[in-house]
């Protein structure tokens, strides 16, 4: 029998449809089934199945790049890939698992984030006008977060995560910027509010769980905003100022004592995690549903028979 190969254009369309399907379904699986913060950093056996979709995506990406070395996936497909990357890091950040960056990758990630923050802070001081003497003194530095196996507790009493919110914050902002570029939407006040809570929760976690001292982590957490004169700059400045003021303890109140109260009453790490999951789910739903997802849900029907009968390929 003679060897037959698919038309390269048709094969690229088919492979793109498969990749789009894998990215969408893997992201949805993580959002639906990734467990909340754990009693220990080992991914439960019942949740190990969450690693399988990620491994499938990795394997298919290798095949995709081998088969189509010069292909340039569309911006929506790039966005789906980045969405899955962030969702995996964020939802599994409490666990040591396949999605946890290697020590070398983690060090590179931190260097990249530190360089970005330094460039921003060279032009802006998010702590300007706020009295952060409590952070300078770090009056409660001798207090160390209480470690416990009970996961339904405030952030101040949880095990140190594999990745902190401060580590994932730059990727969250990058994801939102990529989505805005694809969909042509400017950041809304609702999104800025979520970003502000994310920054505040990242700072709270850094001090209460990570044991940060001094104002450095606070400054890094709020080192975000558009360039001078850009649309939405005033809203960002307001979010930053309100967030920093919320984390400054009243006179006579210890730093960590105050941060524990903020975590309990105003910005809980668990609450922010749930809100971010909601944002990720909305972002997943915002794009066009992949062809194979529609086929999986609805069957081929007349629409499918028309596609196959015309000999057309799958598009993004």
């Amino acid at each position: 029998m003679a060897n037959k190969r698919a038309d390269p254009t048709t094969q690229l369309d088919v492979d793109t449809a498969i990749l789009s399907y894998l990215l969408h379904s893997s992201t949805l699986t993580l959002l639906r089934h990734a467990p909340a913060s754990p009693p220990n950093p080992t991914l439960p056996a019942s949740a190990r199945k969450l690693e399988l979709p990620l491994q499938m995506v990795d394997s298919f990406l290798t095949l995709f790049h081998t088969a189509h070395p010069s292909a340039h996936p569309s911006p929506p497909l790039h966005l789906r890939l980045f969405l899955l990357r962030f969702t995996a890091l964020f939802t599994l950040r409490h666990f040591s698992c396949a999605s946890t960056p290697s020590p070398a990758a983690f060090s590179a990630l931190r260097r990249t984030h530190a360089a970005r923050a330094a460039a921003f802070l060279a032009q802006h001081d998010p702590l300007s006008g706020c009295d952060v003497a409590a952070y300078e003194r770090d009056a409660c530095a001798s207090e160390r977060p209480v470690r416990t196996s009970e996961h339904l507790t405030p952030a101040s009493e949880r095990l140190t995560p594999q990745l902190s919110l401060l580590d994932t914050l730059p990727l969250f902002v990058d994801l939102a910027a990529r989505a805005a570029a694809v969909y042509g939407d400017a950041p809304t006040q609702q999104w800025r509010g979520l970003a502000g809570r994310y920054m505040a929760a990242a700072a709270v976690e850094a001090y209460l769980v990570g044991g940060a001292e001094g104002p450095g982590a606070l400054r890094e957490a709020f080192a975000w905003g558009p360039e001078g004169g850009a649309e939405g700059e005033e809203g960002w400045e307001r979010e930053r100022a309100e967030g920093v003021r919320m984390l400054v303890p009243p006179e006579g109140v210890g730093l960590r004592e105050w941060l524990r109260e903020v975590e309990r009453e105003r910005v809980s790490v668990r609450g922010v995690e749930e809100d971010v999951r909601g944002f990720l789910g909305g972002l997943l739903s915002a794009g066009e549903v992949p062809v194979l997802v529609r086929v999986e849900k609805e069957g081929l029907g007349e629409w499918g028979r028309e596609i196959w009968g015309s000999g057309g390929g799958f598009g993004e």
Side-chain angles (χ1 to χ4, degrees):
M1 180 181 292
N3 291 329
K4 294 184 178 181
R5 296 179 62 85
D7 175 81
T9 301
T10 302
Q11 188 63 55
L12 176 58
D13 286 343
V14 171
D15 288 346
T16 297
I18 295 172
L19 178 57
S20 185
Y21 168 81
L22 290 174
L23 294 173
H24 184 279
S25 60
S26 297
T27 303
L28 189 60
T29 296
L30 286 168
L31 291 174
R32 285 180 173 176
H33 301 296
S37 53
N40 61 68
T42 301
L43 190 64
S46 60
R48 284 286 171 186
K49 62 183 180 181
L50 294 172
E51 297 184 306
L52 179 59
L54 300 178
Q55 293 166 356
M56 291 175 63
V57 169
D58 283 342
S59 296
F60 192 79
L61 277 172
T62 300
L63 295 174
F64 186 93
H65 290 309
T66 300
H68 313 288
S70 60
H72 298 285
S74 66
L77 191 61
H78 272 295
L79 178 61
R80 283 197 183 114
L81 179 58
F82 196 86
L83 175 60
L84 175 59
R85 178 192 178 198
F86 176 80
T87 302
L89 288 173
F90 184 82
T91 60
L92 299 177
R93 74 186 189 93
H94 295 280
F95 303 94
S96 177
C97 58
S99 68
T100 305
S102 66
F106 181 74
S107 296
L109 184 71
R110 288 296 297 156
R111 286 195 299 272
T112 299
H113 295 347
R116 183 216 54 81
F120 181 89
L121 294 171
Q123 304 294 326
H124 311 272
D125 182 5
L127 307 188
S128 177
C130 294
D131 182 4
V132 292
Y135 289 86
E136 296 285 1
R137 293 191 304 268
D138 209 5
C140 301
S142 60
E143 296 181 30
R144 288 291 175 252
V146 178
R147 307 302 186 192
T148 176
S149 61
E150 178 58 56
H151 69 282
L152 297 176
T153 54
S156 57
E157 299 176 356
R158 291 201 205 134
L159 293 163
T160 304
Q162 301 295 311
L163 283 173
S164 70
L165 284 179
L166 202 57
D167 294 324
T168 60
L169 176 56
L171 299 175
F172 171 74
V173 177
D174 191 5
L175 173 62
R178 289 168 183 256
V182 168
Y183 299 125
D185 297 327
T188 63
Q189 180 58 42
Q190 182 181 14
W191 184 84
R192 283 198 294 267
L194 174 58
R197 294 195 302 279
Y198 200 135
M199 296 174 200
V204 167
E205 185 183 72
Y207 288 96
L208 295 185
V209 179
E213 299 178 11
L218 180 66
R219 185 173 277 110
E220 180 181 350
F222 287 93
W224 296 98
E227 296 299 323
E231 182 180 358
E233 181 181 17
E234 183 177 341
W236 269 110
E237 290 181 350
R238 185 167 53 251
E239 289 291 343
R240 284 201 307 264
E242 290 177 358
V244 173
R245 282 196 296 269
M246 176 175 60
L247 301 185
V248 173
E251 186 175 352
V253 178
L255 175 59
R256 283 171 168 69
E257 177 187 352
W258 175 251
L259 292 181
R260 291 190 187 100
E261 181 174 336
V262 169
E263 209 277 341
R264 284 193 304 269
E265 305 294 336
R266 302 185 64 179
V267 182
S268 75
V269 171
R270 175 67 64 81
V272 168
E273 288 177 335
E274 293 175 354
D275 290 345
V276 171
R277 284 194 185 213
F279 167 77
L280 297 176
L283 193 55
L284 181 65
S285 302
E288 182 179 354
V289 178
V291 168
L292 295 182
V293 173
R294 297 205 302 271
V295 170
E296 184 179 51
K297 289 181 177 180
E298 305 166 8
L300 289 175
E302 292 297 327
W303 170 84
R305 284 191 286 274
E306 179 181 344
I307 292 293
W308 286 110
S310 67
F314 287 105
E316 169 56 12

